[in-house]
Amino acid sequence: MKELLSLDPKISRDPDVRLFFSQTESDVLALENREKQGIVGSAPQTSFKPLLNSNTANKTSPRPKVKPSRPRPPVPRRPSKPPSIVKGPRAKVLYPFEARTTDELSLLAGTTVSLLHRVNQDWIEGKYNMKTGLFPAAYVEIIEDLDEDLEEGEDEWDDPEPVAVIRCHFSGGVRDIEVHPTFVENPVFKELLTLVRQSLKRQDLVMNYLDHEGDLIRIKDQDDVDLMINQSERKTLPRQLSRQPSSSQYVRWEVHATLEKDYSVYHVKDTPPRRS
């Protein structure tokens, strides 16, 4: 065995040379003696690495194929919104303007502002960036001016229709009820009562007025309405009501609403009518 292992390495590498090992009778006797002596197992075996022949010596193990990753497609960019084109009466902003009050409109130089109304020679009302307000006329250059005829027609239509205002007192507060001026010329009892109840959103209310002594008088019919109006004609309006816009007019008489079953507001309790 030692002689075989000590052979020239070229012989063992020769592909035509084969080495064979067989177990002899002496090997069997040696193994039995080892078992009798209490030595379990056999001699350690020497592991031999298989030798590659000349044909496979230069070959390397194939590498596992890796699937190439696909390149990610480019993310499409959202098209930028085209700048909004202002049509109609408009002006180009020459200088930046910063609003100082809530009714003014801030502007950026180089932008375009829509024109809505020319207040006077110095100020214009316009619209920019979804906001409406005033800005100085000297800060812009007019591209398309406003139509003066159209503006005059709009001014005529913009005048508010005159209205009459009835002051209604209820539960410590005051409610101003706007009606057409013809309604207060000759108010009808049932219509006035319905108006008060609808405005205060309660159907269990009655109307009253104050007499000269400051006592509440319940209004039960049309005669009481006429008495309230005749008595109020001799009164003067309070100072805060006399300074009112020309489009509205407070009537001289006022209504005091109370609950229908509440008689504690009167100095003399009014007993309910008897049922027949």
Side-chain angles (χ1 to χ4, degrees):
M1 182 67 180
K2 293 182 179 179
E3 293 178 356
L4 290 176
L5 295 177
S6 61
L7 292 175
D8 190 356
K10 293 182 180 180
I11 299 176
S12 60
R13 293 179 182 177
D14 191 347
D16 296 332
V17 176
R18 297 290 184 271
L19 298 179
F20 298 94
F21 300 91
S22 61
Q23 188 175 13
T24 62
E25 186 177 351
S26 60
D27 293 333
V28 175
L29 294 176
L31 180 60
E32 291 178 354
N33 292 331
R34 289 172 61 88
E35 290 179 353
K36 291 179 180 180
Q37 296 175 2
I39 301 175
V40 182
S42 59
Q45 297 180 358
T46 305
S47 61
F48 297 92
K49 293 183 180 179
L51 299 176
L52 300 176
N53 54 25
S54 58
N55 295 332
T56 61
N58 297 328
K59 292 184 181 181
T60 58
S61 59
R63 296 181 179 179
K65 295 183 179 181
V66 179
K67 187 177 183 181
S69 59
R70 295 182 181 179
R72 295 182 179 180
V75 179
R77 295 182 179 180
R78 294 182 179 180
S80 58
K81 295 183 180 180
S84 58
I85 301 176
V86 180
K87 298 181 180 180
R90 60 193 183 278
K92 181 180 179 180
V93 181
L94 301 178
Y95 312 102
F97 175 72
E98 184 176 356
R100 294 166 294 181
T101 59
T102 56
D103 59 346
E104 293 180 352
L105 180 64
S106 298
L107 300 176
L108 296 177
T111 58
T112 304
V113 58
S114 299
L115 307 180
L116 301 178
H117 175 65
R118 184 179 291 275
V119 180
N120 51 37
Q121 295 182 354
D122 299 327
W123 291 89
I124 302 175
E125 182 183 10
K127 184 177 182 180
Y128 171 71
N129 197 18
M130 303 300 292
K131 296 181 180 179
T132 303
L134 304 176
F135 57 88
Y139 280 59
V140 299
E141 178 184 1
I142 303 298
I143 299 176
E144 181 178 343
D145 205 348
L146 293 163
D147 191 348
E148 296 181 358
D149 296 335
L150 179 61
E151 276 198 274
E152 292 178 359
E154 289 179 351
D155 291 341
E156 294 177 0
W157 286 104
D158 289 343
D159 291 337
E161 185 180 358
V163 295
V165 181
I166 302 174
R167 305 214 80 186
C168 181
H169 301 262
F170 176 67
S171 187
V174 180
R175 174 71 61 86
D176 289 343
I177 305 174
E178 295 183 354
V179 294
H180 196 272
T182 57
F183 179 85
V184 298
E185 292 178 358
N186 295 302
V188 180
F189 168 74
K190 292 184 178 181
E191 295 179 357
L192 183 59
L193 179 60
T194 302
L195 178 64
V196 171
R197 289 178 174 177
Q198 290 179 352
S199 300
L200 298 177
K201 298 180 180 180
R202 295 200 60 162
Q203 298 299 319
D204 57 345
L205 300 178
V206 293
M207 297 184 298
N208 306 271
Y209 70 92
L210 290 177
D211 61 4
H212 296 291
E213 297 178 358
D215 296 332
L216 284 178
I217 306 298
R218 178 172 290 193
I219 302 174
K220 300 180 179 179
D221 51 25
Q222 186 65 40
D223 293 337
D224 293 335
V225 174
D226 297 338
L227 182 60
M228 174 187 65
I229 295 174
N230 294 332
Q231 181 177 335
S232 62
E233 290 178 354
R234 297 189 292 271
K235 293 182 179 181
T236 58
L237 285 175
R239 181 176 298 179
Q240 64 270 20
L241 296 185
S242 61
R243 299 177 182 177
Q244 52 189 328
S246 58
S247 60
S248 62
Q249 181 69 36
Y250 281 89
V251 299
R252 292 186 175 272
W253 45 271
E254 298 180 356
V255 175
H256 294 258
T258 58
L259 296 177
E260 185 176 4
K261 296 182 179 181
D262 185 9
Y263 294 95
S264 62
V265 296
Y266 308 105
H267 286 287
V268 179
K269 293 184 179 180
D270 192 359
T271 57
R274 297 180 181 178
R275 296 182 180 178
S276 57

